[in-house]
Structure formats: structure tokens, C-alpha cells
């Protein structure tokens, strides 16, 4: 990962910058209710920053000993620098501290970069939800954290 990148927990003060990053990373529509998830104990969100600007984020929901990855994204110009991998490592460490032992995620079948990332991190395919995204399937993946 780039040496100048720092990973830290998201705060409600990051709200506007996170929304801006999300719009750049997911051009199709606005996804996350940051105002809710950043205040809730049932979610864990981390961001990557480089000299004051947010360049990536990852967040997961927590339900007892299970978690579901909500979103992960890296600024397009800084992709393939290990930022998502570093975000996931810190997120998973936090989830384990909170008692999570199994993590799920869902990804569109044609999202090759994300599927490749998840496989590299040890997630395996658990289920396929046919035509979940209209014409595209959703791949459900899982990983035992401990
Ligand atoms: C998926 C995404 C988060 C990856 O972020 P990233 O910071 O570029 O990922 P990293 O640099 O940490 O990559 C780690 C590993 O993932 C895999 N990977 C990431 N991008 C890849 C790509 N475009 N093609 C193939 N493999 C890829 C590789 O195995 C990579 O390791 P390597 O670079 O040593 O080969 C990024 O492409 C993104 O923001 N996409 C748009 C948002 C999105 O679709 N999020 C996921 C659904 S919620």
C-alpha cells in the first residue's frame, strides 16, 4: 500500500466527504445512509485517507457473531495500490474484536475487481441469487474469521 495512506475509523464528521467519495466510486446511484450507520453500534466503518482527503472506505453490519460487508470502495485514480486490502484487514480485525466469527458479502457477478479482491482475501462462494440485480446474478461469499 502507498506509504502516505492512513486507515482510521469513520466519524460522523467525515459524512460529507464520504458521500462525495461514494458518488465518484459508484456512479449509478447513492447507496449508503452514512448518517445512520456512522452512529450505530451495529456497524463498523473505516476509511483510508491521504493528506486530509478520503481515498477509500469499507463498512460492515454486525448481527451477533455474524457480519455482512456493506460497501468497499477506493478512489478510481488510486486503485490497485492495496488500499481495499488494507481497509479489509483493519475492518476484519475490528469485527473479530467485537465477537464476529463469520463474514458474508454479496457482489454482482460482473464485478471482476471486487470478486478478485474477495477471493484473494479468502472468501468463498456460498450461494448465487439468480437475477438479483435485474439481468445480473448476485454472488454471495463467506469467510470464517476465526
Ligand atoms: C473493488 C475495489 C474496492 C478494489 O479496490 P483496490 O483498492 O483497487 O484493491 P486493492 O489494490 O487492495 O487490490 C487487492 C487485490 O484485489 C484484486 N483486484 C483489485 N482490483 C482488481 C482488478 N481491477 N482486476 C483484478 N484483480 C483486482 C487483486 O488480487 C489485488 O491484488 P494485487 O493488486 O496484488 O493483484 C475497487 O475496484 C472499487 O472501488 N470498485 C468500485 C466499487 C465496488 O465495486 N465495490 C465493491 C462492491 S461493494
Amino acid at each position: 500500500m502507498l506509504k502516505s495512506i492512513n486507515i482510521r475509523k469513520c466519524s460522523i464528521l467525515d459524512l460529507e466527504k464520504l458521500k462525495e467519495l461514494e458518488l465518484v466510486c459508484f456512479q449509478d446511484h447513492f447507496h449508503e445512509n452514512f448518517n445512520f450507520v456512522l452512529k450505530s453500534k451495529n456497524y463498523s466503518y473505516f476509511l483510508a485517507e491521504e493528506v486530509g482527503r478520503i481515498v477509500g472506505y469499507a463498512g460492515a453490519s454486525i448481527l451477533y457473531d455474524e457480519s455482512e460487508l456493506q460497501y468497499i470502495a477506493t478512489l478510481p485514480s488510486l486503485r490497485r495500490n492495496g488500499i481495499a486490502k488494507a481497509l479489509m484487514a483493519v475492518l476484519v480485525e475490528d469485527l473479530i474484536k467485537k465477537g464476529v466469527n463469520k463474514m458474508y458479502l454479496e457482489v454482482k457477478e460482473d464485478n471482476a475487481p471486487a470478486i478478485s479482491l474477495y477471493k484473494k482475501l479468502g472468501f468463498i462462494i456460498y450461494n448465487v441469487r439468480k437475477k438479483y440485480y435485474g439481468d445480473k446474478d448476485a454472488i454471495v461469499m463467506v469467510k470464517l474469521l476465526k
Side-chain angles (χ1 to χ4, degrees):
M1 193 181 60
L2 298 171
K3 284 206 180 95
S4 51
I5 304 278
N6 174 49
I7 310 272
R8 67 165 169 84
K9 216 174 219 333
C10 294
S11 130
I12 196 70
L13 300 174
D14 301 312
L15 185 72
E16 292 310 317
K17 282 184 177 173
L18 281 167
K19 282 184 184 173
E20 281 170 27
L21 179 67
E22 186 177 53
L23 284 172
V24 177
C25 294
F26 299 97
Q27 291 91 348
D28 46 354
H29 59 276
F30 182 77
H31 291 269
E32 189 62 286
N33 185 353
F34 286 116
N35 203 20
F36 173 73
V37 298
L38 296 184
K39 289 178 188 161
S40 168
K41 291 199 312 280
N42 301 324
Y43 291 85
S44 178
Y45 271 73
F46 286 86
L47 61 78
E49 66 185 350
E50 188 199 38
V51 281
R53 68 171 178 157
I54 299 177
V55 296
Y57 76 97
S61 60
I62 302 168
L63 187 62
Y64 299 100
D65 58 349
E66 294 188 351
S67 171
E68 182 164 349
L69 182 70
Q70 301 292 299
Y71 293 106
I72 181 160
T74 298
L75 192 67
S77 59
L78 288 181
R79 286 180 189 164
R80 295 307 289 269
N81 279 296
I83 293 174
K85 210 169 114 186
L87 277 163
M88 281 296 283
V90 175
L91 177 62
V92 164
E93 195 182 295
D94 185 62
L95 293 173
I96 290 172
K97 273 190 207 146
K98 289 174 175 160
V100 171
N101 57 39
K102 198 187 268 185
M103 187 172 192
Y104 293 91
L105 61 84
E106 196 178 84
V107 57
K108 209 188 262 189
E109 63 174 333
D110 61 353
N111 193 343
I115 293 170
S116 167
L117 167 73
Y118 302 145
K119 284 188 172 164
K120 184 156 205 171
L121 296 177
F123 284 84
I124 55 163
I125 295 177
Y126 165 77
N127 195 9
V128 176
R129 297 194 177 120
K130 288 281 170 199
K131 308 294 172 215
Y132 185 80
Y133 297 106
D135 60 333
K136 296 278 187 301
D137 296 348
I139 298 176
V140 183
M141 303 180 85
V142 68
K143 182 181 175 183
L144 290 180
L145 303 188
K146 51 182 178 183

